[in-house]
Amino acid sequence: MADQMTHIETRILQLISSEQAYHYRIIPFKEAEGKVYLKTDQEDVQSLSLELQIMLGKPVELLSEESAVIESYLQKNYRKRERSVASSSLSYSEDFLLNIIYEAKEIGSSDIHFEAFEKQHRVRFRIDGKLIEKYVIALDEYPKIINRIKIMSGLDISEKRLPQDGRINLTTEVEDFDIRVSSLPTLHGEKLVLRILSKNNLTVQLENLGFTEKELETYTSSVKKPNGIILISGPTGSGKTTTLYATLKLLNKKDTNILTIEDPIEYTLEGVNQVQLRENIGLDFASTLRTFLRQDPDIIMVGEIRDVETANMAIRASLTGHLVLSTIHTNSAWATISRLIDMGIPPFLIASTLNVSVAQRLVRKLCDHCKTEVPLAKDSLPKGYEAPANVQTHYKAEGCSHCYQTGYRGRKAIYEIIPITKELVQKIQDKELEVLQYIKEQKIHTLQSNAIQLVAEGITSIEEIYPLLLS
């Protein structure tokens, strides 16, 4: 039985819904010759078989299994909705697409991927940073679903050769939320990614993101300066946008004029003037920044510094007495300075305008209910990396009912914050970019040191921070 149920095909799992799985205490594990085979811990197998046969419209064979095993596979394969009143309050219909979106929203998914391949099409959810396959879609049904999404998001359904971007707003009795839609033409059809933008995220405070006490003090003192640049670096999906919006919430006052240029606008902030980038009509970062300077701004947020023109305009804005917040793609906080110099920005301008450089990553948090402490083995760390003396043990992910058998629940940000002091100003002006010794002397915590500290505290696992220890 263990072999049969270790890796159950998605097409088999989706024969029943999450609600049905928990209600009847059943797990489908095979379909052969038109018959569905299921495991259950229910005693009255005969009555249950008849009911399931009517419900599924197919012959059913039920096999008995221990309750503990059924419970484990239910948790692993069928996530319960966050709200027990979900079905009624969200007005569920038979509409497959809306069902997918509402399910993804309720179980905490950040993205929904609709993907087309030669022999099958599938739907995957990104939960806590990892993609999980949820549905397999019939080849003839996939185009209908894609067209429905494109209509809802205002995309051109006749255009299948070029990428498109759109937006959907869904309103329920519980809340309203936006969905950012991106289409991409691929070999076997269009791939769509739906990013769920919950307005609940706007309640996030800087204090709850993952800063240490000292880091929060350094960061907030930097963003409260009347002018200069705040740069946040990190890969896609590392939480930079959340940090920026939490910062804007802190700075958003009635006597402050805040302007943002974003691609796309992920969350709407009351009291903040937000502009959506539209490069196809010439509304790009650089040209919008020029206009911003004539709009009497106090604070400007630029979604991303992608090129030298945008970087130059951001620096010009900070030189003329404005506070500028933006993101950039680099591996560490100090690498941001090297990147700007490589882009051709004069070092003296960087030194005189940059207030603080921040790097961040997101790591999954271990489930408090099932993590287990084990001795730290040397081979569990990257070759050449020496763990601090205080790290003698670490925690491993196990899996339980609280974390859907994954071993993880939620995510936490790790930060690296380098304030630009007088010493660093001089080093930047002299293009002296080797500062590891200075960082150690100032006791600035790097991404690596903060990551290993989370391991020492039992908040995350070595597997989660392993890529950081390699860098």
Side-chain angles (χ1 to χ4, degrees), residues 31-79:
E31 185 179 23
E33 298 176 355
K35 182 185 284 189
V36 180
Y37 295 81
L38 306 102
K39 293 278 185 176
T40 185
D41 59 359
Q42 302 280 53
E43 292 182 4
D44 191 357
V45 173
Q46 191 172 358
S47 298
L48 182 58
S49 293
L50 289 171
E51 193 169 341
L52 291 175
Q53 192 161 311
I54 294 168
M55 184 181 79
L56 296 174
K58 295 178 181 180
V60 166
E61 184 161 329
L62 275 176
L63 304 176
S64 295
E65 188 50 76
E66 295 176 9
S67 290
V69 177
I70 292 295
E71 188 63 35
S72 174
Y73 277 93
L74 282 172
Q75 293 160 5
K76 187 175 181 180
N77 296 293
Y78 294 102
R79 293 209 172 203

Side-chain angles (χ1 to χ4, degrees), residues 140-157:
D140 58 337
E141 289 295 321
Y142 187 80
K144 300 175 190 174
I145 293 171
I146 295 301
N147 283 341
R148 176 78 193 280
I149 298 171
K150 291 174 82 171
I151 290 168
M152 289 172 69
S153 56
L155 302 184
D156 182 357
I157 61 170

Side-chain angles (χ1 to χ4, degrees), residues 230-241:
I230 312 293
L231 285 180
I232 302 176
S233 68
T236 302
S238 59
K240 300 187 299 296
T241 303

Side-chain angles (χ1 to χ4, degrees), residues 167 180 197 241 244-245 248 258-269 272-279 283-285 288 292 300-304 306 325:
R167 203 177 185 91
R180 192 180 81 205
L197 307 172
T241 303
L244 277 179
Y245 276 105
L248 289 179
I258 302 178
L259 300 172
T260 77
I261 171 69
E262 305 170 58
D263 182 29
I265 295 171
E266 297 210 5
Y267 308 109
T268 53
L269 286 170
V272 176
N273 303 282
Q274 296 171 269
V275 178
Q276 168 69 51
L277 189 80
R278 286 191 175 85
E279 289 182 323
L283 188 67
D284 56 19
F285 283 128
T288 308
F292 277 6
I300 295 170
M301 194 265 268
V302 183
E304 184 185 343
R306 297 175 181 171
L325 292 81

Side-chain angles (χ1 to χ4, degrees), residues 293-323:
L293 294 177
R294 298 190 289 272
Q295 286 283 320
D296 187 30
D298 296 299
I299 298 166
I300 295 170
M301 194 265 268
V302 183
E304 184 185 343
I305 290 180
R306 297 175 181 171
D307 51 52
V308 65
E309 191 180 6
T310 306
N312 275 321
M313 287 302 303
I315 284 173
R316 179 183 162 190
S318 65
L319 282 171
T320 52
H322 307 96
L323 183 68

Side-chain angles (χ1 to χ4, degrees), residues 8-15 123 133-136:
I8 306 173
E9 290 182 56
T10 305
R11 69 175 187 85
I12 302 297
L13 288 172
Q14 73 182 55
L15 290 171
V123 178
E133 187 171 281
K134 290 294 292 183
Y135 296 101
V136 174

